[in-house]
Amino acid sequence: MMMPLRPLAVLALSAVLAGPALAADADLRALALDLVNDSRADHSLPALTLTEPLNEAARAHAADMAAQGYFAHRAPGGGTALDRYLEAGGTEAKMVAENIGRCAGCGPAPTAEHVRSFHSDWMDSPSHRENILHPGVRRFGYALVPDPDREGLVAVQTFAGPGLAAPEADAAPLTPEEAARMALERINEARREKGVEPLTLASDLSAAVADQVPEDLSAFTPSSLQAPQVGGWMGGGRVFLAVGRCGGCGTRVTAADVDRFVGHWLEADRYAGPLLDAQYETLGFTLKADGSGRKVAVAAVAGG
């Protein structure tokens, strides 16, 4: 299963900060959200909302870094931002991103001024700024915890959303027919390079595989697929199915999706062998997005 996850950036802060008395965690999170949304509004991006799974993922990572004395997106035990989000009740359909920061000698009481300073430094860092201003995120989480060993603080921002299938932001969505034709062209290009006759596209075979992929993609499992019994391919014929899934990869079907799924199949021997086999003559294809970040692609090749 393909599961895109955006690269995560690191920020270390060394400034000594001063501020007013300790504010409630909820107030600091609300301020962090306001700062992020003000920055997004300046770039005509939709506002984010706080969610408890992202808050919990941020709290868990900030506390773990402070307790174990490390500073990284991957925990010593191997956990990632996506792992922490899933453990807190998040869904695998989402793209997850994370910003981390720390300051020495600035603690021990987190204040509003600390929140503002961390945000300002993240916005001045291109990789952190990219996460804050990413058009594919919709949810936000935040934690700011004491780091006693350094008399400082550790801050974590977490983000989640449907993501984008680059360059989805500027791409027109494909119709099912356009996606199938594009898949056919990409596979046939590989078949020609191998000296194999091209496939032809069969609309009834595409419809048969599309009917087996539900609109709610969270309910889809590859094991539920059956070889389509259309066009006389069952019985004496042969049908091979290639399946791909991704989460956090955008809300609509684009050319980038077709290229990614077909490219993955052509690079994997278990899929490339049948897709490039001369015994198969016909292609059916479907690619669906449910708007949450999940996408499923299925190709069926058939021969008599």
Side-chain angles (χ1 to χ4, degrees):
M1 177 175 72
M2 296 178 288
M3 182 68 67
L5 179 64
R6 289 193 57 77
L8 306 178
V10 178
L11 178 67
L13 304 179
S14 59
V16 177
L17 304 176
L22 174 64
D25 286 349
D27 293 337
L28 296 181
R29 285 195 300 271
L31 173 59
L33 177 66
D34 287 343
L35 293 170
V36 164
N37 282 341
D38 286 346
S39 295
R40 290 176 65 87
D42 289 342
H43 293 79
S44 301
L45 292 167
L48 307 183
T49 57
L50 281 170
T51 64
E52 190 51 34
L54 286 171
N55 284 333
E56 178 55 35
R59 280 194 298 266
H61 194 42
D64 192 52
M65 285 192 288
Q68 297 199 58
Y70 71 94
F71 184 64
H73 291 290
R74 186 176 290 274
T80 66
L82 178 59
D83 294 329
R84 293 184 285 273
Y85 176 59
L86 294 176
E87 289 171 4
T91 170
E92 78 283 353
K94 304 303 182 187
M95 180 203 88
V96 177
E98 178 182 81
N99 288 338
I100 63 176
R102 66 180 175 184
C103 60
C106 59
T111 68
E113 187 57 34
H114 291 112
V115 175
R116 294 188 182 94
S117 184
F118 276 110
H119 179 79
S120 177
D121 283 355
W122 278 324
M123 284 297 292
D124 286 340
S125 166
S127 53
H128 297 80
R129 178 187 178 94
E130 182 180 355
N131 283 340
I132 292 170
L133 301 181
H134 196 284
V137 299
R138 297 291 182 270
R139 304 289 185 265
F140 180 70
Y142 188 83
L144 181 58
V145 305
D147 184 1
D149 289 346
R150 295 165 184 79
E151 298 182 351
L153 298 166
V154 177
V156 177
Q157 289 179 323
T158 49
F159 307 86
L164 297 174
E168 184 180 283
D170 301 317
L174 297 179
T175 66
E177 293 76 16
E178 290 170 336
R181 285 196 296 271
M182 183 176 176
L184 178 72
E185 291 172 3
R186 177 72 189 274
I187 294 170
N188 279 343
E189 180 182 357
R191 288 172 70 94
R192 284 191 291 270
E193 291 176 357
K194 194 178 177 182
V196 178
E197 288 295 313
L199 299 170
T200 58
L201 192 63
S203 59
D204 55 348
L205 187 55
S206 293
V209 292
D211 287 346
Q212 297 189 57
V213 180
E215 295 305 316
D216 178 7
L217 298 183
S218 66
F220 173 79
T221 58
S223 60
S224 67
L225 287 173
Q226 297 180 359
Q229 301 188 39
V230 296
W233 289 305
M234 294 303 292
R238 298 172 297 275
V239 177
F240 173 81
L241 298 174
V243 184
R245 295 185 293 176
C246 69
C249 48
T251 59
R252 58 184 189 269
V253 173
T254 71
D257 295 313
V258 179
D259 190 63
R260 182 178 65 253
F261 281 115
V262 175
H264 170 73
W265 292 331
L266 293 175
E267 291 174 359
D269 290 342
R270 62 174 174 155
Y271 293 132
L275 291 177
L276 303 181
D277 193 324
Q279 73 174 316
Y280 295 107
E281 304 161 351
T282 309
L283 174 72
F285 181 83
T286 188
L287 174 53
K288 292 186 179 182
D290 65 5
S292 75
R294 290 186 181 90
K295 294 179 183 177
V296 169
V298 181
V301 285

